[in-house]
């Protein structure tokens, strides 16, 4: 039960080139010769090899991480690579640590981010879920994409009241509508080279799509990076309202037939190791002109509070008009509620610092 020799040869060749390529990725940091030699012959039950896990990072040396779980078993088979990546990204979540059970806490007990509405433009909280008994992107068939879309869009029909909405498949959506949804920060982008090189965009746009309610405050993405992304967002800084809506919607979906994949140690399973555990990314779009006069300084100060800074159009984008996306960085080893508090308190600190400058 080994990776085919053609794959092993390709791995040797590509790893050789990567060894002489400069890269700040965690892949570069942790795929030592020793780890590489240990993993290069392995194959998961789904047939994924080390090459399937690292091909995006090999092709894109500007990756932050550079590895994806080609299927749910990859986290175990290739633990010698994933464990140190996870420990580094999630601020010290060790191989012996166990992600705690879900605890969403009391949504009303969160700090108000920006009571005067001077800095925060909008607030968003998202989580990711994978369906049990399905592989991840690179190992999914066209039929599985469609099956998952059926299950997810079916379950979303159960949402009622303010959450009631409609599912729009990407297949057949006109380009103008798609672009407007992307520009308005509602829809995932198309052609992400990190995902494409991980073979996460096969059969595109089959099985991909977006759900949203009447005022686009609750959204769901189907089969983009993960089987399901559930998103709550609105203008302004009312973190409690945004978080409460996510909890309500997820609770309703959990009462449908959907069964979500959860690992006893890693928490909820996702395609990217950065999203494991709670899978929660709570962000604001924020303008902090004084702090951000030097973007590197903004990143440094944000890091003190375990916050991550992204550009206006999300991951791997630049800031437009001084707008930054600031969110909690780690998602593992703490509860959902603790992740929200970490983000909320951190943003409040950044605003406090902005005001002293
Ligand atoms: P994620 O991994 O959470 O899906 P991305 O970095 O891929 O994040 O961003 C997805 C989209 O969400 C982008 O259009 C981004 O601008 C948007 N977004 C993220 N946070 C906010 C926010 N607080 N307000 C408005 N849009 C946001
Ligand atoms: C990278 O390594 O930069 C890309 N593979 C993306 C990593 C982070 N992805 C994410 O948070 N979803």
């Amino acid at each position: 039960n080994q990776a085919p020799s053609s794959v092993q040869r390709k791995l040797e060749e590509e790893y050789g080139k990567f060894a002489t390529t400069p890269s700040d990725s965690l892949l570069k940091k942790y795929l030592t010769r020793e780890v590489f030699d240990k993993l290069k012959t392995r194959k998961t039950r789904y047939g994924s090899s080390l090459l399937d896990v690292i091909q995006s990072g090999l092709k894109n040396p500007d990756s932050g991480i550079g590895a994806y779980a080609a299927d749910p078993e990859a986290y175990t088979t290739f633990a010698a690579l994933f464990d140190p990546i996870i420990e580094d990204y999630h601020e010290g979540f060790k191989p012996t640590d166990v992600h705690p059970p879900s605890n969403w806490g009391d949504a009303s007990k969160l700090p108000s981010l920006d009571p005067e509405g001077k800095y925060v433009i909008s607030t968003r909280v998202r989580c990711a879920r994978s369906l049990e008994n399905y592989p991840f992107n690179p190992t999914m068939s066209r039929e599985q994409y469609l099956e998952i879309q059926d299950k997810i869009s079916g379950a979303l029909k159960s949402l009622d009241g303010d959450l009631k909405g409609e599912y729009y498949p990407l297949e057949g959506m006109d380009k103008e509508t798609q672009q407007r949804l992307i520009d308005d920060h509602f829809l995932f982008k198309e052609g992400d080279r990190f995902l494409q090189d991980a073979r996460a965009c096969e059969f595109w746009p089959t099985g991909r799509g977006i759900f949203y309610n009447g005022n686009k405050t609750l959204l769901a993405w189907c089969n983009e990076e993960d089987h399901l992304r559930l998103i709550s967002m609105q203008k302004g800084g009312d973190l409690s309202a945004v978080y409460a809506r996510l909890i309500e919607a997820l609770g309703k979906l959990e009462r449908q037939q959907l069964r979500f994949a959860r690992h006893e140690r890693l928490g909820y399973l996702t395609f990217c190791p950065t999203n494991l555990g709670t899978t929660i990314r709570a962000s604001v779009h924020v303008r902090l002109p004084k702090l951000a006069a030097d973007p590197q300084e903004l990143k440094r100060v944000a890091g003190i509070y375990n916050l991550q800074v992204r550009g206006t159009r999300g991951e791997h984008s630049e800031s437009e008009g001084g707008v930054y996306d600031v969110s909690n960085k780690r998602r593992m080893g703490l509860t959902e509620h603790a992740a929200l508090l970490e983000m909320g308190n951190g943003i409040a600190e950044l605003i406090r610092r902005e005001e002293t400058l």
Side-chain angles (χ1 to χ4, degrees):
N1 199 31
Q2 286 209 331
S5 53
S6 58
V7 169
Q8 292 187 37
R9 267 198 307 278
K10 176 125 200 252
L11 267 170
E12 284 290 357
E13 196 182 307
E14 297 293 325
Y15 183 65
K17 282 190 239 161
F18 188 61
T20 60
T21 310
S23 166
D24 292 328
S25 66
L26 296 188
L27 180 66
K28 180 84 176 184
K29 192 165 168 187
Y30 296 114
L31 190 65
T32 59
R33 183 35 93 169
E34 194 191 354
V35 171
F36 178 80
D37 285 338
K38 181 173 172 185
L39 301 182
K40 66 187 180 188
T41 57
R42 292 193 183 183
K43 200 173 91 170
T44 69
R45 207 156 31 87
Y46 297 87
S48 304
S49 68
L50 180 63
L51 188 60
D52 298 307
V53 166
I54 66 174
Q55 55 199 349
S56 177
L58 292 177
K59 260 213 167 157
N60 301 285
D62 58 339
S63 293
I65 315 300
Y68 289 98
D71 62 56
E73 218 184 272
Y75 285 116
T76 315
T77 307
F78 303 107
L81 173 63
F82 279 116
D83 282 349
I85 288 180
I86 287 170
E87 183 169 352
D88 191 316
Y89 182 86
H90 296 281
E91 320 277 350
F93 184 88
K94 289 187 283 303
T96 47
D97 285 342
V98 176
H99 181 71
S102 278
N103 182 352
W104 294 82
D106 183 346
S108 68
K109 293 207 172 67
L110 290 174
S112 168
L113 298 178
D114 176 24
E116 291 171 61
K118 276 161 60 182
Y119 305 97
V120 173
I121 300 159
S122 53
T123 304
R124 175 181 188 264
V125 184
R126 59 86 157 156
C127 68
R129 289 291 181 272
S130 303
L131 298 198
E132 237 174 46
N133 302 319
Y134 283 96
F136 297 162
N137 274 311
T139 29
M140 276 162 61
S141 66
R142 181 187 292 275
E143 290 64 40
Q144 287 173 320
Y145 274 106
L146 291 170
E147 266 175 48
I148 291 176
Q149 176 173 249
D150 270 358
K151 289 188 176 171
I152 287 177
S153 59
L156 288 164
K157 286 202 177 89
S158 70
L159 298 177
D160 50 9
D162 287 347
L163 303 181
K164 187 180 167 60
E166 185 107 29
Y167 180 78
Y168 304 89
L170 207 54
E171 202 155 24
M173 184 185 290
D174 65 83
K175 282 284 158 194
E176 214 174 293
T177 306
Q178 183 185 354
Q179 192 57 49
R180 193 169 349 104
L181 286 168
I182 294 171
D183 292 343
D184 291 344
H185 306 288
F186 296 127
L187 179 61
F188 47 83
K189 56 181 178 282
E190 186 164 286
D192 180 300
R193 68 187 151 94
F194 302 89
L195 288 177
Q196 281 178 339
D197 292 332
R199 280 200 303 111
C201 304
E202 306 297 295
F203 314 113
W204 192 279
T206 300
R208 278 75 169 191
I210 181 171
F211 164 98
Y212 49 83
N213 67 346
N215 50 8
K216 297 202 185 82
T217 54
L218 181 79
L219 304 98
W221 296 351
C222 183
N223 283 327
E224 189 242 11
E225 183 172 318
D226 291 298
H227 299 160
L228 173 67
R229 288 287 183 93
L230 195 63
I231 300 155
S232 170
M233 63 198 281
Q234 69 188 49
K235 296 279 180 214
D238 192 344
L239 184 61
S240 285
V242 171
Y243 184 52
R245 185 185 302 114
L246 185 77
I247 296 173
E248 186 190 353
L250 186 68
K252 286 187 168 158
L253 292 182
E254 281 172 339
R255 288 191 285 280
Q256 299 300 301
Q257 300 85 334
L258 298 183
R259 291 187 61 80
F260 297 132
R262 199 178 189 288
H263 187 279
E264 52 184 15
R265 187 172 82 81
L266 302 174
Y268 287 102
L269 285 181
T270 54
F271 183 44
C272 182
T274 63
N275 287 324
L276 291 165
T278 61
T279 77
I280 292 273
R281 191 169 88 86
S283 67
V284 285
H285 266 182
V286 65
R287 263 197 203 95
L288 300 165
K290 291 177 184 151
L291 258 179
D294 176 359
Q296 286 315 314
E297 179 62 7
L298 173 65
K299 283 184 189 157
R300 189 191 65 79
V301 176
I304 298 174
Y305 305 106
N306 281 348
L307 298 178
Q308 183 186 63
V309 179
R310 297 182 178 187
T312 318
R313 287 166 177 264
E315 176 110 80
H316 307 119
S317 75
E318 295 303 317
S319 166
E320 296 165 14
V323 177
Y324 288 88
D325 166 334
V326 186
S327 61
N328 60 301
K329 178 171 183 251
R330 61 174 176 149
R331 317 185 211 292
M332 284 183 101
L334 75 181
T335 65
E336 288 79 0
H337 193 243
L340 263 287
L341 282 175
E342 183 154 281
M343 177 271 192
N345 292 330
I347 300 293
E349 282 299 329
L350 289 188
I351 290 176
R352 214 163 294 144
R353 281 190 183 229
E354 175 75 12
E355 300 207 307
T356 63
L357 290 174

